[in-house]
């Protein structure tokens, strides 16, 4: 059953170093077309894609993201935007009451649409021999990101997607065992501890190999440590200010 | 550039009638593996997948979803859950302060992780000759859905994914023109009206053909009408009650 598509999916690794070669116009258009082919909630297509080519903007986004070089140095940089502004405009032109657009349900729909589209683009890119890395940290200063990209109300920047020709070939990062992700008929609160322990060892081995012994960390330890990162509390007020998820 | 992966992506149509043939255990495991191979924010893997096999639960989900037959009649039915509960448990066992998990940022991360995984599964399924349909309407009665699936705090059901052997072969639904989705460097508030008009005609033609002339609706009209659907206001209080997106 391992056809070319499944092989592409299972072979995913995030790429964080790209060759200095830009994507062609044709590649960009094809990637966007693939993104658009994804499912969209009630056919609303509640997302937009911003292609960031301006080097000054890329440099600023790199800073916002905590100085990750691959935000600036890549083949192309896309920002996926959850977008109810287009629907707002269309509704107003048709004399419709657009107040539903400020609901949490519509916010999650737009976020879902953006994520489906982005994942399609990621898969398409990898099938073309390109590598990708999602950049959630463009939200580290969401006000500044939105300002740079001139985002209107009813939209927010969900993540960036760096795409380009890989200049590294990292190992695949092991995923949680099937029994820790999959539940039959009902959510099983009790985690399969044995599977989790084995997984912890697998992740520790992965880091050990990848860093030549400098890092030796289990997955659960990494998760626990990640909880101490200061919370990004700017997102909720940003959304509400811009008419998203108010109720 | 149209390799097998890109052809699969561009060929997507949602399937709403399936043959009465169940997926095999092997297919289900492979689909879950493909889902897990997707990117995940900071390696947190903040989602779970529930495989709904119990016919009574499927019947109830069908009802909740507004009596869509394909929620019950399919090859398999998955529910994707945004899940910070696993992280919560792991954090607590490691003596970490888990309070960050109730932030809107963590909520959006979990939703994104669930959507990336689901879209990978959708693509994998289609590559195997299966069809898919997302079911967002399991949220029409989110309390009941969560109760049926025994979902704990720090989780919520994002959408279902019906998968199975297609028993229909619908036309592809045309997507917005490139210029209405893609922006260069900054969001362009002014929509390309000419492109949008052409698209409206294309969608009207699509519905005309698909319904044998019974339906003849533009995309913008559909969007405007969709705004009059009563808002689902239960989502926000549900999330807050269950420790998600509180701040």
């Amino acid at each position: 059953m391992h056809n070319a598509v499944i092989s592409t999916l299972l072979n995913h690794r995030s790429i964080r170093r790209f060759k200095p070669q830009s994507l062609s116009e044709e590649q960009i258009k094809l990637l966007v077309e693939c993104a658009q082919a994804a499912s969209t909630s009630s056919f609303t297509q509640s997302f937009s894609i911003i292609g960031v080519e301006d080097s000054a903007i890329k440099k600023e986004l790199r800073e916002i993201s905590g100085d990750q070089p691959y935000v600036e140095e890549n083949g192309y940089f896309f920002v996926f935007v959850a977008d109810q502004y287009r629907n707002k405009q269309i509704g107003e032109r048709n004399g419709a009451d657009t107040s539903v657009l400020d609901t949490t349900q519509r916010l999650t729909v737009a976020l879902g649409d953006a994520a489906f589209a982005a994942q399609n683009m990621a898969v398409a890119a990898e099938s073309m021999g390109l590598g990708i890395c999602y950049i959630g940290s463009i939200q580290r200063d969401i006000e500044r990101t939105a300002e740079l990209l001139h985002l209107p109300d009813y939209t927010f920047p969900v993540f960036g997607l760096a795409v380009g020709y890989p200049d590294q070939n990292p190992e695949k990062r092991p995923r949680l065992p099937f029994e820790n992700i999959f539940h039959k008929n009902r959510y099983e609160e009790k985690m399969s501890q044995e599977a989790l322990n084995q997984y912890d060892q697998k992740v520790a081995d992965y880091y050990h190999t990848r860093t030549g012994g400098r890092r030796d960390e289990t997955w659960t330890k990494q998760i626990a440590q990640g909880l101490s990162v200061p919370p990004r509390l700017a997102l909720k007020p940003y959304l509400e200010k811009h008419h998203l998820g108010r109720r």
Side-chain angles (χ1 to χ4, degrees), chain A residues 122-134:
Chain A
V123 172
E126 290 180 347
S127 81
M128 291 155 68
L130 301 166
I132 64 103
C133 189
Y134 280 97

Side-chain angles (χ1 to χ4, degrees), chain A residues 66-178:
Chain A
D67 197 27
Q68 301 182 70
Y70 42 97
V71 174
E72 187 180 5
E73 296 157 9
N74 48 51
Y76 205 78
F77 195 74
F78 297 94
V79 173
F80 282 79
V81 176
D83 187 355
Q84 295 290 10
Y85 180 71
R86 191 187 303 112
N87 294 330
K88 169 88 176 161
Q89 284 179 293
I90 291 169
E92 281 173 353
R93 287 184 194 185
N94 286 273
D97 172 3
T98 62
S99 62
V100 70
L101 294 174
D102 75 357
T103 60
T104 299
Q105 192 257 332
R106 285 281 186 154
L107 167 65
T108 61
V109 154
L111 208 164
D113 276 8
F116 298 151
Q119 187 56 21
N120 254 24
M121 184 186 281
V123 172
E126 290 180 347
S127 81
M128 291 155 68
L130 301 166
I132 64 103
C133 189
Y134 280 97
I135 313 291
S137 51
I138 60 166
Q139 281 188 4
R140 282 180 75 232
D141 187 345
I142 192 165
E143 290 278 2
R144 196 163 148 218
T145 295
E147 203 179 309
L148 276 172
L149 304 175
H150 293 245
L151 296 185
D153 285 345
Y154 295 93
T155 70
F156 83 102
V158 191
F159 38 67
L161 190 70
V163 183
Y165 291 91
D167 196 24
Q168 61 177 187
N169 187 19
E171 289 292 301
K172 278 167 56 179
R173 207 144 54 155
R175 295 303 197 247
L176 276 167
F178 180 80

Side-chain angles (χ1 to χ4, degrees), chain A residues 223-234:
Chain A
I223 291 300
Q225 283 177 343
L227 296 170
S228 67
V229 173
R232 282 188 212 145
L233 295 178

